[in-house]
Amino acid sequence: MREIFFNKEARAKMLEGVNDAANAIGSTLGPRGKTVIIDPGNGNPPIMSKDGVTVASLLDSKDNLKKTGIMLIRQASEASVKDCGDGTTTAAVLCQSMINAGVEAVNNGANSQEIKSGIEKAVICVVDALKAMAIPLTDNDMIKSIGTVSSNNDEEIGGKLAEAYGKIGNKGMLTIEMSKTHDTFVTIMEGAEMQRGYSNEGFVTNPAKMTVEYDNPKILVLNYEVKSLKQLEPFLKEYQMLHKLDVTPLVIIAREYEGEFHNSTLVNKKQYGAKICLIQAPNMYQREAFDDMATITGATLITDDAGMKLESANCTHLGTCKKIIVSRFNTLVVEGGGDKLEVEALKKKINAGIEFAKEDAVKEVSEKRLARLSGSIGVIYVGGNTHVEQVERLHRVDDANKAIKSAIEEGIVAGGGIALIMAKHNLNQLNLSKEEDVGVQIIYSACEDPILKMLSNAGVYKKRKTLLSKIWETFFGKNHLIINELNKCRGNKGYNVKTGEFVDMIEAKIIDPVKVVRCALQNAASVAGQVINSDVMLVEMA
């Protein structure tokens, strides 16, 4: 049965969960961030993590009122992970600040819709400032710095990531795996990427990364739309007899899938443990993608051009690879089982086509095909002295890699929370109504909270809870001397929490990807704005 909570009562219950969640996630932030110990349940050994993504994904509460607040923080954090693969902790800290300040303002009589409008306009202003500050990612030292900062200042992880990208290039593909030894090391393998992923999230095998990951799968490539189960029934019966779907993974790449076949495949995956994944070919240049993937994996392309009907597919037409990783948007094939001579022959054919191509678009597609057929994939194998340590390090390597990819896309800014401190000064240019300005002030204040959380984790700053603190905040602002000094700084000057010095953050290699900071702010504001503009909670009670 659901109970209804109104206004202040609803917000107070929800805030408990918001603050518990954000405080747990926020404790990992910065170079002095703390480790969180997590009991995964079911008799499994505890997980020890300094990774905000992991902490956020495992947060829960038996109290459904608090759970609502927890889920709001998780929503902001997980949105950042989906957008750029990092920024979970920053998003949680920002969201907590915005929700608390917004709820307090509404409780004191401010108009929630005007506040929300002010927040939205302020975020646009700060994002524009961040983009204006962006510096392109130019060298391997920057990659090492981003990797180090994003992995909680682990220089070994930063070094391994820089080593990997030095070998595969900034546009290369990199995957993270568990090492079978105590050591962390980099290897380079052959690989290919296709710009299209799984047809449904129900096929996901790794919920933390939202990916489908299979070792040594069998791969069927179909230049057809698969509409009914009957079309592939002979093939599936043969496959089940020879390989067993719950043992040997099956990946199907086709033009499109429709109702009956798609739904029955999902049921087999969810209810019966079938190791299967359906992938749709790219919307453009499908035939080229089919030819490439068939050649790379050693599959026989089932296509009407060759006089082959869909119903004629059998297990002799299957290809394979050492590993396949499928996300919502991409498919990564590692060490395809195709004949190397056939791959080289296809590359020569494409090269010959480039020489005679008259249109730039055709040349571009052909060059992308060559890159796919000639691709290499970096693999970082993460080691550790214990399984618990290894899992914790793997999560941090994965986060750092995603941060590097974001930096390649949109550039970098001063790290350590400094970019938001600098960008918030642009809010002084906004000329809005009095009540919209409340929303602007909420964003202005929130932009200080990531660095405040880092200082708190380092033992430099503790939030005051006494009457004296309220007087202090009234006359000197909510922050202490370090924040006051930072508000006077310009350029890339900031505070190094690790050394306790004011430095040029770019020169000190304390940097953040613009995309990570931007997404954290936008996602936090999106969730906070909806919360502030809500008066009623409907909660399922035990």
Side-chain angles (χ1 to χ4, degrees):
M1 183 180 72
R2 289 188 180 88
E3 285 195 25
I4 305 174
F5 297 87
F6 294 96
N7 302 324
K8 290 185 179 180
E9 182 185 17
R11 299 185 191 110
K13 299 282 186 181
M14 173 268 300
L15 280 177
E16 290 183 40
V18 165
N19 290 321
D20 283 353
N23 289 337
I25 299 170
S27 68
T28 67
L29 187 62
R32 305 295 185 191
K34 306 300 188 293
T35 299
V36 176
I37 301 175
I38 305 163
D39 176 14
N42 299 321
N44 293 312
I47 298 170
M48 297 184 357
S49 180
K50 287 174 69 179
D51 169 39
V53 177
T54 304
V55 177
S57 67
L58 295 172
L59 286 168
D60 206 346
S61 175
K62 291 181 180 179
D63 184 334
N64 283 350
L65 295 169
K66 289 178 65 174
K67 188 173 183 176
T68 303
I70 289 171
M71 296 305 291
L72 289 168
I73 293 296
R74 280 182 62 177
Q75 187 178 344
S77 296
E78 290 173 358
S80 293
V81 172
K82 285 185 177 180
D83 288 342
C84 59
D86 199 9
T88 309
T89 310
T90 302
V93 171
L94 290 169
C95 194
Q96 177 188 26
S97 175
M98 294 176 200
I99 289 175
N100 276 282
V103 166
E104 182 180 359
V106 172
N107 286 343
N108 289 328
N111 184 294
S112 62
Q113 291 185 342
E114 292 295 307
I115 292 175
K116 182 174 179 290
S117 175
I119 286 175
E120 290 168 352
K121 292 175 181 178
V123 167
I124 291 171
C125 181
V126 172
V127 167
D128 287 344
L130 290 171
K131 289 179 178 179
M133 290 189 284
I135 300 169
L137 192 68
T138 55
D139 58 55
N140 225 36
D141 284 343
M142 284 186 173
I143 288 178
K144 181 179 179 181
S145 299
I146 293 168
T148 299
V149 170
S150 299
S151 60
N152 287 99
N153 286 275
D154 190 318
E155 291 190 5
E156 182 190 6
I157 289 176
K160 294 298 181 186
L161 286 162
E163 178 189 343
Y165 277 98
K167 293 176 179 178
I168 63 175
N170 283 5
K171 294 184 179 180
M173 295 168 282
L174 183 65
T175 65
I176 317 298
E177 303 286 347
M178 297 277 273
S179 174
K180 294 181 180 179
T181 71
H182 297 312
D183 300 323
T184 297
F185 58 94
V186 178
T187 61
I188 305 299
M189 297 180 176
E190 293 179 0
E193 185 178 32
M194 182 177 74
Q195 299 298 313
R196 195 68 186 266
Y198 48 70
S199 62
N200 189 286
E201 291 183 357
F203 294 113
V204 164
T205 62
N206 187 333
K209 296 182 181 179
M210 289 305 292
T211 55
V212 178
E213 300 181 17
Y214 287 130
D215 293 326
N216 303 307
K218 299 296 181 182
I219 301 170
L220 183 66
V221 186
L222 309 169
N223 187 14
Y224 277 99
E225 295 180 12
V226 186
K227 298 179 180 180
S228 71
L229 189 61
K230 188 177 180 180
Q231 290 174 300
L232 282 179
E233 191 173 9
F235 163 77
L236 291 171
K237 283 182 178 179
E238 181 188 9
Y239 189 92
Q240 186 66 3
M241 184 175 66
L242 294 176
H243 299 291
K244 303 296 183 185
L245 268 172
D246 58 344
V247 177
T248 306
L250 173 64
V251 175
I252 301 176
I253 304 172
R255 281 210 306 257
E256 196 172 335
Y257 305 93
E258 293 191 7
E260 182 196 4
F261 179 79
H262 191 266
N263 294 339
S264 62
T265 306
L266 275 173
V267 169
N268 269 291
K269 164 69 172 65
K270 293 177 180 179
Q271 295 187 9
Y272 303 110
K275 295 181 177 181
I276 192 165
C277 180
L278 303 183
I279 299 171
Q280 289 182 235
N283 291 325
M284 298 180 67
Y285 301 101
Q286 284 188 345
R287 181 54 193 265
E288 289 81 359
F290 283 130
D291 284 338
D292 294 348
M293 297 308 287
T295 304
I296 289 164
T297 63
T300 300
L301 175 60
I302 308 299
T303 176
D304 192 43
D305 298 350
M308 301 175 71
K309 298 298 181 184
L310 185 55
E311 291 79 2
S312 67
N314 62 62
C315 288
T316 65
H317 299 137
L318 292 167
T320 189
C321 63
K322 184 173 182 179
K323 186 180 183 72
I324 193 164
I325 303 170
V326 189
S327 69
R328 185 168 51 161
F329 302 113
N330 296 285
T331 297
L332 188 62
V333 173
V334 180
E335 294 193 357
D339 187 300
K340 304 296 185 235
L341 293 177
E342 290 186 14
V343 172
E344 289 302 317
L346 181 57
K347 286 163 64 175
K348 287 180 181 178
K349 180 181 176 182
I350 294 169
N351 259 321
I354 291 175
E355 292 180 16
F356 295 102
K358 296 181 180 179
E359 297 179 11
D360 289 340
V362 174
K363 287 183 179 179
E364 185 179 350
V365 171
S366 297
E367 287 168 356
K368 286 181 179 179
R369 292 185 69 192
L370 280 177
R372 177 159 58 206
L373 291 162
S374 307
S376 60
I377 298 171
V379 183
I380 297 183
Y381 287 97
V382 181
N385 293 319
T386 65
H387 179 72
V388 172
E389 179 189 357
Q390 192 176 18
V391 170
E392 189 272 335
R393 279 172 61 80
L394 184 138
H395 287 151
R396 287 192 288 124
V397 174
D398 191 47
D399 281 355
N401 180 41
K402 290 171 182 173
I404 289 168
K405 289 180 179 178
S406 292
I408 291 169
E409 285 184 48
E410 296 186 17
I412 59 168
V413 286
I418 302 306
L420 287 173
I421 293 282
M422 301 303 174
K424 74 183 176 69
H425 294 305
N426 281 39
L427 294 174
N428 295 324
Q429 302 170 8
L430 293 178
N431 185 20
L432 306 177
S433 68
K434 185 177 180 180
E435 289 199 301
E436 276 188 317
D437 193 55
V438 174
V440 174
Q441 294 307 313
I442 287 171
I443 297 301
Y444 189 95
S445 178
C447 285
E448 297 178 348
D449 276 23
I451 179 65
L452 278 174
K453 192 64 180 179
M454 292 182 209
L455 293 171
S456 176
N457 289 341
V460 178
Y461 168 70
K462 302 293 183 185
K463 288 189 176 180
R464 303 174 179 83
K465 297 182 179 179
T466 63
L467 178 61
L468 179 62
S469 74
K470 292 183 179 180
I471 296 172
W472 177 279
E473 289 174 3
T474 300
F475 288 97
F476 300 102
K478 75 168 188 174
N479 311 315
H480 63 22
L481 296 177
I482 291 174
I483 300 297
N484 291 337
E485 186 65 29
L486 285 173
N487 282 327
K488 300 174 187 175
C489 293
R490 293 295 181 268
N492 294 310
K493 189 175 181 183
Y495 185 74
N496 185 337
V497 175
K498 191 174 182 179
T499 64
E501 300 172 319
F502 284 89
V503 298
D504 184 299
M505 304 297 273
I506 302 296
E507 289 181 3
K509 305 297 184 184
I510 303 171
I511 51 184
D512 281 333
V514 174
K515 188 176 180 180
V516 170
V517 182
R518 172 180 67 77
C519 289
L521 178 67
Q522 290 173 325
N523 291 323
S526 175
V527 172
Q530 297 302 321
V531 173
I532 292 165
N533 200 32
S534 300
D535 278 344
V536 180
M537 282 178 64
L538 302 178
V539 180
E540 189 75 31
M541 304 302 289

